[in-house]
Amino acid sequence: MGCKLTKLAASELAEDAFHRPPPPADPRCPLTTKQQYCMLASWKGIYRQIEKTGIILFVKLFEENKELLALFTKFSELHTAEHQLSSTELAEHASKVMHTLDEGVKALRDVDGFMTYVRHVGATHHQVDGFQASNFWKIEQPFLEAAKTTLGERYTPNIENIYKLTIRFILENLVKGYEDAAPSKGQTEIDLNK
């Protein structure tokens, strides 16, 4: 009798372990190892259309946040989606942003390298006059919509969840990098007295 209970308990444990997702490779990363694999596999579809996806992202971003156009001197006059879709300047910037996201996605398995890279990118946004850390969060929904448009039927509920976790992790670290690079009031006062 004890033998049957042992077998039953062992089979329940094995089944439970089978259905549980694997633990994250690094506890700082919100994605499990399996989710990271799915993200990288799915990302190939985005990468093949990286510029197009980036343009979709920016058109959607500006539809929802017209005030952000003023931050971009090269294409601040592009007030319609038609003008934005045909702009080489916007395409170049969209491609640059998407390649930055590509580097972040590919670095997910090395969280230290990921954080160093993404936080550095966040810090560089202090060079943009009028930029605020909260602007990073405005990218989340346009990014998800652009990914959905590019991936089509491959954008399943599971992939959507993985993309949400990924973009939030990237945005959190962009914000952290931006905030950590902000000069403190004490530093500003000292710099002004030089």
Side-chain angles (χ1 to χ4, degrees):
M1 181 108 162
C3 202
K4 285 183 182 179
L5 287 176
T6 304
K7 285 181 183 177
L8 178 63
S11 70
E12 285 177 1
L13 284 173
E15 187 175 316
D16 185 49
F18 179 77
H19 290 290
R20 259 184 288 150
D26 185 310
R28 296 171 293 171
C29 180
L31 301 176
T32 64
T33 303
K34 183 177 179 180
Q35 288 173 321
Q36 288 177 22
Y37 174 80
C38 289
M39 181 66 199
L40 288 169
S42 169
W43 187 254
K44 291 175 185 174
I46 300 288
Y47 189 79
R48 284 191 287 272
Q49 298 182 56
I50 199 162
E51 185 176 289
K52 177 185 169 194
T53 305
I55 292 169
I56 294 168
L57 183 158
F58 273 94
V59 169
K60 291 184 181 298
L61 177 68
F62 294 143
E63 279 176 4
E64 297 171 15
N65 305 278
K66 293 187 187 317
E67 75 282 0
L68 292 181
L69 263 172
L71 297 176
F72 299 92
T73 55
K74 289 184 179 180
F75 44 90
S76 62
E77 299 302 317
L78 305 174
H79 296 287
T80 66
E82 294 77 27
H83 288 121
Q84 293 165 6
L85 287 167
S86 63
S87 168
T88 56
E89 289 87 2
L90 180 65
E92 286 173 15
H93 187 74
S95 183
K96 183 178 176 182
V97 167
M98 290 302 293
H99 281 285
T100 299
L101 290 173
D102 177 61
E103 290 297 320
V105 167
K106 289 177 179 173
L108 283 170
R109 290 183 183 221
D110 171 19
V111 176
D112 289 324
F114 168 88
M115 288 183 174
T116 299
Y117 175 73
V118 174
R119 290 179 182 186
H120 171 74
V121 171
T124 65
H125 282 73
H126 279 284
Q127 299 168 8
V128 180
D129 288 334
F131 191 87
Q132 299 173 357
S134 60
N135 292 339
F136 286 122
W137 288 106
K138 295 175 182 178
I139 294 171
E140 182 178 6
Q141 284 309 310
F143 169 79
L144 294 170
E145 290 175 39
K148 182 178 183 177
T149 300
T150 299
L151 293 174
E153 64 187 30
R154 295 172 290 173
Y155 195 74
T156 64
N158 182 48
I159 293 298
E160 179 182 22
N161 181 52
I162 291 169
Y163 273 68
K164 283 179 180 178
L165 291 170
T166 301
I167 193 63
R168 288 176 186 158
F169 189 49
I170 290 172
L171 295 174
E172 286 169 6
N173 280 283
L174 285 168
V175 168
K176 180 85 171 120
Y178 183 85
E179 290 174 346
D180 287 352
S184 68
K185 290 180 182 178
Q187 286 178 314
T188 305
E189 291 169 10
I190 291 169
D191 292 341
L192 294 173
N193 291 327
K194 283 186 178 178

